[in-house]
PDB file of all heavy atoms in Angstrom:
ATOM      1  N   VAL A 173     120.177  66.798 -13.105  1.00  0.00           N
ATOM      2  CA  VAL A 173     119.511  65.871 -12.155  1.00  0.00           C
ATOM      3  C   VAL A 173     119.563  66.528 -10.791  1.00  0.00           C
ATOM      4  O   VAL A 173     120.599  66.978 -10.283  1.00  0.00           O
ATOM      5  CB  VAL A 173     120.346  64.578 -11.990  1.00  0.00           C
ATOM      6  CG1 VAL A 173     119.443  63.491 -11.466  1.00  0.00           C
ATOM      7  CG2 VAL A 173     121.076  64.195 -13.187  1.00  0.00           C
ATOM      8  N   MET A 174     118.385  66.556 -10.192  1.00  0.00           N
ATOM      9  CA  MET A 174     118.290  67.248  -8.871  1.00  0.00           C
ATOM     10  C   MET A 174     118.109  66.208  -7.722  1.00  0.00           C
ATOM     11  O   MET A 174     117.550  65.133  -7.962  1.00  0.00           O
ATOM     12  CB  MET A 174     117.119  68.223  -8.868  1.00  0.00           C
ATOM     13  CG  MET A 174     117.206  69.255  -9.951  1.00  0.00           C
ATOM     14  SD  MET A 174     118.728  70.186  -9.978  1.00  0.00           S
ATOM     15  CE  MET A 174     118.503  71.190  -8.489  1.00  0.00           C
ATOM     16  N   PRO A 175     118.569  66.587  -6.547  1.00  0.00           N
ATOM     17  CA  PRO A 175     118.291  65.713  -5.401  1.00  0.00           C
ATOM     18  C   PRO A 175     116.818  65.774  -5.012  1.00  0.00           C
ATOM     19  O   PRO A 175     116.082  66.693  -5.358  1.00  0.00           O
ATOM     20  CB  PRO A 175     119.177  66.325  -4.253  1.00  0.00           C
ATOM     21  CG  PRO A 175     119.528  67.663  -4.688  1.00  0.00           C
ATOM     22  CD  PRO A 175     119.399  67.765  -6.168  1.00  0.00           C
ATOM     23  N   ARG A 176     116.384  64.756  -4.288  1.00  0.00           N
ATOM     24  CA  ARG A 176     114.956  64.771  -3.825  1.00  0.00           C
ATOM     25  C   ARG A 176     114.805  65.838  -2.778  1.00  0.00           C
ATOM     26  O   ARG A 176     115.780  66.227  -2.119  1.00  0.00           O
ATOM     27  CB  ARG A 176     114.632  63.418  -3.212  1.00  0.00           C
ATOM     28  CG  ARG A 176     114.684  62.277  -4.284  1.00  0.00           C
ATOM     29  CD  ARG A 176     114.195  61.010  -3.647  1.00  0.00           C
ATOM     30  NE  ARG A 176     114.403  59.946  -4.687  1.00  0.00           N
ATOM     31  CZ  ARG A 176     114.068  58.663  -4.498  1.00  0.00           C
ATOM     32  NH1 ARG A 176     113.477  58.284  -3.336  1.00  0.00           N
ATOM     33  NH2 ARG A 176     114.288  57.761  -5.425  1.00  0.00           N
ATOM     34  N   ALA A 177     113.571  66.258  -2.632  1.00  0.00           N
ATOM     35  CA  ALA A 177     113.299  67.285  -1.638  1.00  0.00           C
ATOM     36  C   ALA A 177     113.818  66.841  -0.271  1.00  0.00           C
ATOM     37  O   ALA A 177     113.629  65.704   0.149  1.00  0.00           O
ATOM     38  CB  ALA A 177     111.785  67.531  -1.544  1.00  0.00           C
ATOM     39  N   GLU A 179     116.835  66.332   0.512  1.00  0.00           N
ATOM     40  CA  GLU A 179     118.109  65.559   0.452  1.00  0.00           C
ATOM     41  C   GLU A 179     119.126  66.418  -0.187  1.00  0.00           C
ATOM     42  O   GLU A 179     118.858  67.360  -0.960  1.00  0.00           O
ATOM     43  CB  GLU A 179     117.882  64.244  -0.306  1.00  0.00           C
ATOM     44  CG  GLU A 179     116.919  63.321   0.366  1.00  0.00           C
ATOM     45  CD  GLU A 179     116.811  61.961  -0.351  1.00  0.00           C
ATOM     46  OE1 GLU A 179     117.546  61.694  -1.313  1.00  0.00           O
ATOM     47  OE2 GLU A 179     115.960  61.144   0.108  1.00  0.00           O
ATOM     48  N   ASP A 180     120.442  66.086   0.089  1.00  0.00           N
ATOM     49  CA  ASP A 180     121.515  66.904  -0.470  1.00  0.00           C
ATOM     50  C   ASP A 180     122.259  66.154  -1.573  1.00  0.00           C
ATOM     51  O   ASP A 180     122.806  66.751  -2.458  1.00  0.00           O
ATOM     52  CB  ASP A 180     122.520  67.267   0.655  1.00  0.00           C
ATOM     53  CG  ASP A 180     121.885  68.162   1.697  1.00  0.00           C
ATOM     54  OD1 ASP A 180     121.507  69.286   1.358  1.00  0.00           O
ATOM     55  OD2 ASP A 180     121.741  67.717   2.835  1.00  0.00           O
ATOM     56  N   ALA A 181     122.264  64.808  -1.435  1.00  0.00           N
ATOM     57  CA  ALA A 181     122.987  63.994  -2.424  1.00  0.00           C
ATOM     58  C   ALA A 181     122.001  63.497  -3.491  1.00  0.00           C
ATOM     59  O   ALA A 181     120.822  63.469  -3.306  1.00  0.00           O
ATOM     60  CB  ALA A 181     123.649  62.850  -1.734  1.00  0.00           C
ATOM     61  N   LEU A 182     122.646  63.099  -4.578  1.00  0.00           N
ATOM     62  CA  LEU A 182     121.808  62.527  -5.707  1.00  0.00           C
ATOM     63  C   LEU A 182     121.799  60.994  -5.591  1.00  0.00           C
ATOM     64  O   LEU A 182     122.753  60.369  -5.113  1.00  0.00           O
ATOM     65  CB  LEU A 182     122.443  62.927  -7.053  1.00  0.00           C
ATOM     66  CG  LEU A 182     122.394  64.358  -7.411  1.00  0.00           C
ATOM     67  CD1 LEU A 182     123.265  64.632  -8.633  1.00  0.00           C
ATOM     68  CD2 LEU A 182     120.941  64.780  -7.716  1.00  0.00           C
ATOM     69  N   ARG A 183     120.694  60.394  -5.969  1.00  0.00           N
ATOM     70  CA  ARG A 183     120.612  58.926  -5.931  1.00  0.00           C
ATOM     71  C   ARG A 183     120.872  58.392  -7.320  1.00  0.00           C
ATOM     72  O   ARG A 183     120.309  58.866  -8.295  1.00  0.00           O
ATOM     73  CB  ARG A 183     119.233  58.501  -5.459  1.00  0.00           C
ATOM     74  CG  ARG A 183     118.865  58.972  -4.057  1.00  0.00           C
ATOM     75  CD  ARG A 183     117.589  58.331  -3.672  1.00  0.00           C
ATOM     76  NE  ARG A 183     117.045  58.882  -2.420  1.00  0.00           N
ATOM     77  CZ  ARG A 183     116.318  58.186  -1.590  1.00  0.00           C
ATOM     78  NH1 ARG A 183     115.951  56.945  -1.898  1.00  0.00           N
ATOM     79  NH2 ARG A 183     115.888  58.746  -0.499  1.00  0.00           N
ATOM     80  N   SER A 184     121.656  57.304  -7.364  1.00  0.00           N
ATOM     81  CA  SER A 184     121.940  56.652  -8.622  1.00  0.00           C
ATOM     82  C   SER A 184     120.664  56.315  -9.371  1.00  0.00           C
ATOM     83  O   SER A 184     120.548  56.486 -10.610  1.00  0.00           O
ATOM     84  CB  SER A 184     122.779  55.376  -8.472  1.00  0.00           C
ATOM     85  OG  SER A 184     124.068  55.742  -8.029  1.00  0.00           O
ATOM     86  N   GLU A 185     119.685  55.792  -8.642  1.00  0.00           N
ATOM     87  CA  GLU A 185     118.458  55.379  -9.311  1.00  0.00           C
ATOM     88  C   GLU A 185     117.679  56.578  -9.914  1.00  0.00           C
ATOM     89  O   GLU A 185     117.008  56.409 -10.929  1.00  0.00           O
ATOM     90  CB  GLU A 185     117.503  54.547  -8.367  1.00  0.00           C
ATOM     91  CG  GLU A 185     117.079  55.229  -7.105  1.00  0.00           C
ATOM     92  CD  GLU A 185     117.954  54.971  -5.917  1.00  0.00           C
ATOM     93  OE1 GLU A 185     119.186  54.802  -6.114  1.00  0.00           O
ATOM     94  OE2 GLU A 185     117.439  54.939  -4.776  1.00  0.00           O
ATOM     95  N   ASP A 186     117.849  57.728  -9.332  1.00  0.00           N
ATOM     96  CA  ASP A 186     117.168  58.916  -9.867  1.00  0.00           C
ATOM     97  C   ASP A 186     117.893  59.329 -11.147  1.00  0.00           C
ATOM     98  O   ASP A 186     117.247  59.788 -12.131  1.00  0.00           O
ATOM     99  CB  ASP A 186     117.151  60.068  -8.883  1.00  0.00           C
ATOM    100  CG  ASP A 186     116.169  59.796  -7.709  1.00  0.00           C
ATOM    101  OD1 ASP A 186     115.481  58.749  -7.801  1.00  0.00           O
ATOM    102  OD2 ASP A 186     116.133  60.571  -6.757  1.00  0.00           O
ATOM    103  N   ILE A 187     119.231  59.213 -11.146  1.00  0.00           N
ATOM    104  CA  ILE A 187     119.999  59.531 -12.373  1.00  0.00           C
ATOM    105  C   ILE A 187     119.579  58.570 -13.504  1.00  0.00           C
ATOM    106  O   ILE A 187     119.340  58.921 -14.654  1.00  0.00           O
ATOM    107  CB  ILE A 187     121.511  59.515 -12.114  1.00  0.00           C
ATOM    108  CG1 ILE A 187     121.870  60.551 -11.032  1.00  0.00           C
ATOM    109  CG2 ILE A 187     122.289  59.779 -13.402  1.00  0.00           C
ATOM    110  CD1 ILE A 187     123.292  60.477 -10.594  1.00  0.00           C
ATOM    111  N   GLU A 188     119.412  57.318 -13.114  1.00  0.00           N
ATOM    112  CA  GLU A 188     119.076  56.292 -14.128  1.00  0.00           C
ATOM    113  C   GLU A 188     117.637  56.495 -14.619  1.00  0.00           C
ATOM    114  O   GLU A 188     117.369  56.275 -15.822  1.00  0.00           O
ATOM    115  CB  GLU A 188     119.215  54.878 -13.471  1.00  0.00           C
ATOM    116  CG  GLU A 188     120.662  54.503 -13.409  1.00  0.00           C
ATOM    117  CD  GLU A 188     120.941  53.308 -12.543  1.00  0.00           C
ATOM    118  OE1 GLU A 188     120.135  52.981 -11.658  1.00  0.00           O
ATOM    119  OE2 GLU A 188     122.023  52.707 -12.693  1.00  0.00           O
ATOM    120  N   ALA A 189     116.757  56.967 -13.736  1.00  0.00           N
ATOM    121  CA  ALA A 189     115.379  57.231 -14.194  1.00  0.00           C
ATOM    122  C   ALA A 189     115.386  58.332 -15.229  1.00  0.00           C
ATOM    123  O   ALA A 189     114.691  58.327 -16.239  1.00  0.00           O
ATOM    124  CB  ALA A 189     114.485  57.576 -12.979  1.00  0.00           C
ATOM    125  N   GLN A 212     129.920  64.483  -2.536  1.00  0.00           N
ATOM    126  CA  GLN A 212     129.357  63.177  -2.944  1.00  0.00           C
ATOM    127  C   GLN A 212     130.210  62.562  -4.048  1.00  0.00           C
ATOM    128  O   GLN A 212     130.486  63.164  -5.069  1.00  0.00           O
ATOM    129  CB  GLN A 212     127.909  63.284  -3.441  1.00  0.00           C
ATOM    130  CG  GLN A 212     127.387  61.982  -3.924  1.00  0.00           C
ATOM    131  CD  GLN A 212     125.964  62.031  -4.472  1.00  0.00           C
ATOM    132  OE1 GLN A 212     125.405  63.102  -4.675  1.00  0.00           O
ATOM    133  NE2 GLN A 212     125.364  60.825  -4.671  1.00  0.00           N
ATOM    134  N   PHE A 214     130.181  59.819  -6.870  1.00  0.00           N
ATOM    135  CA  PHE A 214     129.206  59.046  -7.650  1.00  0.00           C
ATOM    136  C   PHE A 214     129.728  57.678  -7.962  1.00  0.00           C
ATOM    137  O   PHE A 214     130.959  57.418  -7.923  1.00  0.00           O
ATOM    138  CB  PHE A 214     128.918  59.835  -8.951  1.00  0.00           C
ATOM    139  CG  PHE A 214     128.214  61.089  -8.756  1.00  0.00           C
ATOM    140  CD1 PHE A 214     128.889  62.324  -8.833  1.00  0.00           C
ATOM    141  CD2 PHE A 214     126.865  61.124  -8.424  1.00  0.00           C
ATOM    142  CE1 PHE A 214     128.241  63.540  -8.641  1.00  0.00           C
ATOM    143  CE2 PHE A 214     126.202  62.365  -8.177  1.00  0.00           C
ATOM    144  CZ  PHE A 214     126.883  63.524  -8.303  1.00  0.00           C
ATOM    145  N   ARG A 218     128.748  52.091 -12.112  1.00  0.00           N
ATOM    146  CA  ARG A 218     127.344  51.797 -12.389  1.00  0.00           C
ATOM    147  C   ARG A 218     126.730  52.827 -13.360  1.00  0.00           C
ATOM    148  O   ARG A 218     126.082  52.445 -14.317  1.00  0.00           O
ATOM    149  CB  ARG A 218     126.570  51.864 -11.057  1.00  0.00           C
ATOM    150  CG  ARG A 218     125.096  51.847 -11.182  1.00  0.00           C
ATOM    151  CD  ARG A 218     124.439  51.747  -9.843  1.00  0.00           C
ATOM    152  NE  ARG A 218     122.979  52.083  -9.978  1.00  0.00           N
ATOM    153  CZ  ARG A 218     122.121  52.045  -8.976  1.00  0.00           C
ATOM    154  NH1 ARG A 218     122.533  51.659  -7.790  1.00  0.00           N
ATOM    155  NH2 ARG A 218     120.834  52.308  -9.201  1.00  0.00           N
ATOM    156  N   LEU A 219     127.017  54.144 -13.126  1.00  0.00           N
ATOM    157  CA  LEU A 219     126.358  55.167 -13.954  1.00  0.00           C
ATOM    158  C   LEU A 219     126.905  55.152 -15.387  1.00  0.00           C
ATOM    159  O   LEU A 219     126.185  55.419 -16.328  1.00  0.00           O
ATOM    160  CB  LEU A 219     126.525  56.497 -13.273  1.00  0.00           C
ATOM    161  CG  LEU A 219     125.783  56.648 -11.949  1.00  0.00           C
ATOM    162  CD1 LEU A 219     126.138  57.973 -11.248  1.00  0.00           C
ATOM    163  CD2 LEU A 219     124.270  56.597 -12.177  1.00  0.00           C
TER     164      LEU A 219
END
Side-chain angles (χ1 to χ4, degrees):
V173 202
M174 302 308 288
R176 295 186 187 182
E179 296 185 5
D180 297 295
L182 292 169
R183 299 187 187 208
S184 292
E185 60 266 32
D186 290 355
I187 300 174
E188 285 165 341
Q212 176 181 13
F214 293 103
R218 169 175 167 177
L219 293 172

